[in-house]
Amino acid sequence: MRKSAPLLIAGSALLGSAQAGQANDFSQLERGRYLTQAGNCQGCHTPPGEEPFAGSRALETPFGLIYTPNITFDTETGLGRWTKDDFWRAMHEGKAKDGSQLYPAFPYPHFTKMPREDVDAIYDYLATLDPVRKKKPENELPFPLSWRTTVKGWNMTFFEPGVFRPDPAKSQEWNRGAYLVEGPGHCSGCHTEKNLLGADKKSRHLAGGKLENWAAPDIRGGRHGGLEAWSKAAIVEFLQTGRNAHSAAFSIMSEVISYSTQHMTETDLAAIATYLKDLDGEERAAPATPDDAVMKAGAAIYFDNCSACHVSDGSGVPRFFPPLAGSGNVNNPDATTVIRVILEGARAVPTKRHPSPLTMPAFGWKLDDDGIAAVATYVRSSWGNSGGAVEADEVRDLRSLLAGGPP
Amino acid sequence: MARKLPPVDVVLVGFGWTGAIMAQELTEAGLEVLALERGGWRDTPTHFPPTLAPDELRFYWRHEMFQDTARETLTFRNNASQTALPMRRWGSFLPGSGVGGSGVHWNGQTFRFLPSDFIAASHNADRYGPLPDGMTVQDYGVTYDELEPHFDRFEKLCGIGGKAGNLRGALQAGGNPFEGRRSDEYPNPPMEMTFAQKQFGAAAAELGLKPFPAPSANMSRPYTNPLGVQLAPCTYCGFCEKYGCGNYSKAIPQTTILPVLMGKPNFTLKTHNEVLEIRRDSSGRRATGVTHVDVHGEVFEQPAGIVILCAYPLQNARLMMLSGIGRTYDPRSGEGLVGKNYCYQVVSSVDVFYEDRYTNQFVGAGALGMVIDEYNGDNFDHAGLGFIGGGYLACWTTNARPIETHRTPEGTPEWGAGWKKAVKENFLKSTSVSTHGASMAYAQNHLDLDPIYTDVYGRPLLRMTYDFTPNDRAMTAYLTDRAREIAARMGGREIKVNAREGAYDSMPYQTTHNTGGTIMGSTPQNSVVNRYLQSWDVPNLFVMGAGVFPQNAGYNPTGTVAALTYWAAEAIRSRYLRDPGPMVQA
């Protein structure tokens, strides 16, 4: 198993597990750097503007705040005393050096799919970073979740350790894509709906999820999937540049693109696209037709406030201002992202290819809950969209939640 | 006692168009560049998003984007017999402040000067005989052909929309037949013209003139420039000049350069840091850096290998005077050069009022216009006219903002019910033909330091002594007459001539096209900087901006300012860095 995976995965001839000499081997470090990027380790392990990989970023989970650890090799506060085996156990089994359980906010249910060679390469790469002394704050989790052994039960129910097994019936490209999406890329972390205990709903795999008060769209690319209208090339362009003819990345996805996918090889991005395009979705029942008066009010607000950029027919200016017609975010049954973008605005991620941080302004100060609900309803029900109506209460709740108040 | 900071390769004083271009070019050359900007950081989504940008009260009437006159202004007089008084409120022109400088609130009218504009003294003397007494016009010391590749670069950086008139020597239908030869077409097509432009174009054509669409830095379509930075299509909202563009549709440093520049490890920007003085070593021939003060009043000494003045022209001239570099010009003796040849521009207009046609002039953009160039520069025979130079005539539809714009016909009362009625009747049904005339340098118009008034730091204010000259008056009368001829043919009910007469008045807005004061030329005896914009006195000091124009041309200056900046940057990169010292031997 271990011997075949790396051949497939990196196209490299490295065999066997870590050997002493490999730590200084340039190609080994490059491989580690690449995988560290592919897994977007920097995103979660770096609070905005602080030292990369030194941790302490607060992850908002439905259960409370979890602070990420320092993964530089500082001996007191980081991984400095960890062996390769310790690191492997964390990535593969979700166990810390002392044997305690890590919370699945750390995506070990995905990283477990990585073969030992890949995990060792990441270890070797992280070991080259300047160690930073930085202790993470205590997690803010209620009892009994603060008690790490509760995770044991969770693991028994939801966690299957084991490295990725290629499907021999599928192409090499498909398998590479599947490995990247399900393994290091851990795409379902955001794009799959969770059950009450925070585990992926298997039946809803990559069909859209919710994280930190953002609704992540369906990224299944086949029939009835959220990316059905996207070509493979469009998926590659999106991951590589942050924009394509359909959309522009913002919020959490902009970190993924900024730290991770824009640095990946085109071959790997094409593999991801191949895999996603092979995932069919489920047909959705059309939502009820919104109220006429609401649509009329929404249209008026849209023409005054939105049409300058998104154009009166919702076609936008592709790669500049995203089209709203056919948008995955707009059509998401969960309207959270649409409402939030109107409230707070959004910034398209600057990338190597598109350095402009094109930004939509906030309208939360300018439009009231009824107005936002009306314009969101109009946008979600026009030009062939079928996102459905948004109620003023939803806007009020999210506004209050984002302001730190009760929903 | 100033705190001494670690040295940098280059310090830029001011961070508008010229600062951004220079920073981009010199960081590309591997230099460590620091820009000091007296105003604050500004970016589109934070400071002028489309939800805020079209706020007339805030941005124009309350001057949000302009230099704060309570901290620093200038004193003004028409002539030396008067006592100059401080301008407490900007009027005739609007110096900007903050990142992007006045480049944030410009209209986007982006011309290249004519080849003959760069040799105004020798060309006109050859054709018409010696220049009149007191006229101090001179050649730039650089030619149009030398600047051509740099004009081209700026147009591509900005995504200028237009139609070439002279493509590699071949005249092109629909473009300006008088322009210098261009190496390439504009990167974008012209903007969509509206009713007023069509009327102007037809009327001009009937008179045998050749109208062409104005070159526009307001985007005619989505554009990604050679740096990868994106500009979005213009929505024709009419809030360009005096405003930041919330739709990323106007080329400004923020929409063309800053997204790339700000991420470079060898570039640093310090905002809210005003430069007080250019420092020199004991020989006086070498700049050692600058002294600057931050918003808390702390004073710093910033050593630098090269000092480049990139502030507004009036600031550059003043900073040189305050630093004692060069000799300040004295019109009585004719000696000294800093502050010499201050020039402005002479504009007039003819309004056209329609009875039953809608011009809908609120559907506008800063550089939405049709232009004729028959009466600009030396495109026509001046024999017997009593002036040199000229200007373009254009029908712009730049805006119809509700507080600012109320064009009314001749004989309308200036207030009350009659005025309101006329505004209401004409708001949607009028347009205007404007003239945009050159300003030729005269000995008496100049800049120096005010003997009485000081700024917030106790330094003398800049004093401006300026009035229209005989050349200006003859020129504007001639151009206004030509505008009247066209306007009369545009099919309206009536016209109203707004001639430029009387003394120059510093209050009504005209153009922010102040030039001169740090002029360029061929020798240290006739100029402050050489043809590479390098100080003759201090070879590691460079001066950018329209202050280097020896006289003004009949165009908006930004295109030429930018081309000169690229030209100077190239000289620094390819020559100065290899052999630091004077690039022109005196």
Side-chain angles (χ1 to χ4, degrees), chain B residues 187-211:
Chain B
N188 281 317
M191 304 194 81
E192 291 290 334
M193 298 298 154
T194 62
F195 170 79
Q197 282 71 51
K198 287 170 186 161
Q199 296 299 107
F200 172 87
E206 278 170 32
L207 289 165
L209 304 166
K210 295 209 162 47

Side-chain angles (χ1 to χ4, degrees), chain A residues 243 308-309 317 319-321 353-359 361-363 365-366, chain B residues 45 49-51 222-224 227-233 235 247-248 259-260:
Chain A
R243 326 223 169 141
C309 294
V317 182
R319 295 178 185 83
F320 287 74
F321 305 130
R353 181 85 69 83
H354 296 304
S356 302
L358 298 174
T359 302
F363 287 85
W365 63 274
K366 191 178 180 191
Chain B
T51 45
Y223 181 69
T224 301
L227 298 178
V229 184
Q230 292 172 283
L231 293 109
T235 61
N247 291 73
Y248 299 90
V260 171

